Amino acid sequence: MNGLTHFNGEGRAKMVDISEKETSHRTAVAVSGITVCEEVFLKIKDNGFKKGDVLAVAQVAGIMAAKKTADWIPMCHPLALTGVDLSFHWEKQSEDGYKLNIQAEVKTKGSTGVEMEALTAASAAALTVYDMCKAADKGMIIGQTYLLSKTGGKNGDFVRSSSPDKV
């Protein structure tokens, strides 16, 4: 069916058979972000939320999400991940707005890639920041989640040449 691998001969969804694929080291790096007002930015920086350290909780949420990706993305294979790491970087957006850039790197040695796990980790971290800060501002914006790079597998490496907002 037009070269799409997740459909069977009847055009119905299937999980791709990876039993014949070569095992290799695979990595994926994904990015997401959340834009917040200055009040939320300062409270996160000063650890001023009663729920706890927002970025520490977001870090753990991203790791947990990467490990559970196959539980909620229907065609993903459960994977034995060998590493998950998230990093956070603030960027001033406007006079009173700040964007928290979230980067998730996921690694495995296996027969299929970890792009979905990296995307899930970055997304879950952004959602966790929203959840922990929503009492202060429900107007936060989660946006532009994308694959930055991947290595390994038969399709080879991928490195995004520019951010999606510059395309």
Side-chain angles (χ1 to χ4, degrees), residues 2 5 8-9 18 22 24 40 43 50 53 60-61 83 91 118 120 127 134 136-137 140 154 163 165:
N2 296 333
T5 59
N8 66 18
I18 61 170
E22 294 279 327
S24 65
V40 170
K43 279 184 139 179
K50 291 179 183 177
D53 183 335
V60 172
E91 177 184 333
T120 300
L127 289 166
K134 68 183 182 268
D137 180 19
M140 295 173 284
K154 78 173 189 177
S163 70
D165 57 343

Side-chain angles (χ1 to χ4, degrees), residues 22-44:
E22 294 279 327
T23 298
S24 65
H25 291 279
R26 297 160 183 267
T27 65
V29 178
V31 173
S32 190
I34 182 166
T35 302
V36 304
C37 66
E38 185 172 21
E39 175 192 358
V40 170
F41 164 73
L42 292 173
K43 279 184 139 179
I44 292 172

Side-chain angles (χ1 to χ4, degrees), residues 22-130:
E22 294 279 327
T23 298
S24 65
H25 291 279
R26 297 160 183 267
T27 65
V29 178
V31 173
S32 190
I34 182 166
T35 302
V36 304
C37 66
E38 185 172 21
E39 175 192 358
V40 170
F41 164 73
L42 292 173
K43 279 184 139 179
I44 292 172
K45 295 281 282 179
D46 296 337
N47 205 13
F49 281 98
K50 291 179 183 177
K51 290 183 178 184
D53 183 335
V54 173
L55 297 186
V57 175
Q59 178 101 15
V60 172
I63 292 167
M64 291 173 65
K67 292 176 8 177
K68 293 291 192 176
T69 300
D71 288 349
W72 58 285
I73 304 293
M75 301 306 157
C76 280
H77 294 83
L79 300 178
L81 303 180
T82 59
V84 180
D85 191 17
L86 282 88
S87 60
F88 303 94
H89 170 73
W90 286 104
E91 177 184 333
K92 187 154 177 59
Q93 292 288 292
S94 63
E95 191 171 306
D96 62 345
Y98 294 82
K99 181 179 179 189
L100 177 63
N101 294 297
I102 302 164
Q103 184 169 299
E105 181 178 21
V106 179
K107 297 178 180 183
T108 193
K109 183 177 182 183
S111 300
T112 191
V114 287
E115 297 96 277
M116 293 308 301
E117 288 73 11
L119 289 161
T120 300
S123 299
L127 289 166
T128 300
V129 170
Y130 188 97

